[in-house]
């Protein structure tokens, strides 16, 4: 009996953590990007955005740049194409300068110096990706490696 109670407590506790980490709901309005220090021009709010929460010291984050380039090439053209936004949290200015020099013509790059935007989006880990439609609603969230092409094609 004691083992069953312990297992039940562990299951309930882990479920509470998972629920707390995912407070954004598909179809709900996403928080704005106020507070971001942009290294490039800010993205347009009337077009879809793929927001990649990025940490330069995280190897998993860095390996997604080729996938971002592919998405930009296939889905980012024109005024209604998907805008790629790369957000960092509290990184050095030299890191932002390096990102801007390398990707600034293709992506919108910004820093969240005090973590306010990360908290508003409930980012618990990186890399973390969200896809926002042109109405500012959450369309998809998760790991960029799991983002289906059909989802990218369906966002407007």
């Amino acid at each position: 009996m004691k083992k069953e109670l312990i297992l039940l407590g562990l299951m309930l506790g882990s479920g509470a953590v998972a629920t707390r980490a995912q407070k954004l709901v598909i179809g709900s309005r996403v928080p704005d990007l106020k507070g971001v220090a942009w290294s490039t021009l800010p993205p347009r709010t009337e077009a879809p955005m793929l927001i990649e929460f990025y940490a330069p010291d995280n190897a998993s984050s860095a390996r997604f740049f080729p996938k971002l380039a592919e998405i930009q090439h296939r889905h980012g053209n024109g005024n209604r194409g998907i805008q790629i936004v790369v957000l960092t949290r509290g990184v050095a200015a030299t890191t932002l300068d390096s990102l801007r020099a390398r990707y600034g013509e293709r992506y919108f790059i910004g820093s969240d110096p005090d973590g306010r935007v990360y908290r508003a989006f409930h980012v618990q880990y990186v890399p973390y990706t969200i896809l926002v439609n042109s109405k500012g609603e959450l369309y998809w969230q998760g790991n960029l490696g799991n983002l289906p092409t059909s989802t990218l094609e369906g966002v407007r």
Side-chain angles (χ1 to χ4, degrees), residues 88-120:
T88 64
R89 180 177 178 182
V91 299
T94 55
T95 302
L96 286 175
D97 290 343
S98 174
L99 284 172
R100 186 181 66 243
R102 191 163 183 193
Y103 303 109
E105 292 184 20
R106 289 185 276 172
Y107 311 139
F108 299 93
I109 298 170
S111 176
D112 182 18
D114 61 3
R116 185 171 56 186
V117 174
Y118 269 58
R119 284 189 303 278

Side-chain angles (χ1 to χ4, degrees), residues 69-141:
E70 178 187 328
I71 292 169
Q72 176 66 31
H73 177 72
R74 292 186 180 189
H75 305 283
N77 299 326
N79 289 334
R80 298 186 60 96
I82 298 172
Q83 304 171 98
I84 307 293
V85 178
V86 177
L87 287 182
T88 64
R89 180 177 178 182
V91 299
T94 55
T95 302
L96 286 175
D97 290 343
S98 174
L99 284 172
R100 186 181 66 243
R102 191 163 183 193
Y103 303 109
E105 292 184 20
R106 289 185 276 172
Y107 311 139
F108 299 93
I109 298 170
S111 176
D112 182 18
D114 61 3
R116 185 171 56 186
V117 174
Y118 269 58
R119 284 189 303 278
F121 280 91
H122 305 285
V123 176
Q124 301 293 317
Y125 56 89
V126 292
Y128 178 66
T129 308
I130 67 166
L131 184 59
V132 180
N133 67 20
S134 59
K135 296 177 186 175
E137 300 166 339
L138 181 65
Y139 194 78
W140 183 90
Q141 64 184 337

Side-chain angles (χ1 to χ4, degrees), residues 3-16:
K3 287 181 184 178
E4 288 86 9
L5 289 174
I6 291 172
L7 287 174
L8 180 62
L10 288 173
M11 288 179 0
L12 290 174
S14 64

Side-chain angles (χ1 to χ4, degrees), residues 36-91:
V36 171
W38 294 103
S39 293
T40 62
L41 293 174
R44 301 179 318 275
T45 56
E46 68 278 356
M49 283 186 273
L50 185 140
I51 303 173
E52 180 68 19
F53 293 91
Y54 168 76
D57 59 346
N58 181 301
S60 294
S61 283
R63 74 182 170 101
F64 283 123
F65 274 99
K67 175 87 171 169
L68 291 174
E70 178 187 328
I71 292 169
Q72 176 66 31
H73 177 72
R74 292 186 180 189
H75 305 283
N77 299 326
N79 289 334
R80 298 186 60 96
I82 298 172
Q83 304 171 98
I84 307 293
V85 178
V86 177
L87 287 182
T88 64
R89 180 177 178 182
V91 299

Side-chain angles (χ1 to χ4, degrees), residues 15-34:
V17 171
T19 303
R20 188 174 62 225
Q22 296 293 355
K23 291 186 179 180
L24 296 178
V25 177
I26 302 296
S28 66
R29 187 124 179 98
V30 299
D32 60 39
L33 298 175
K34 288 182 182 169

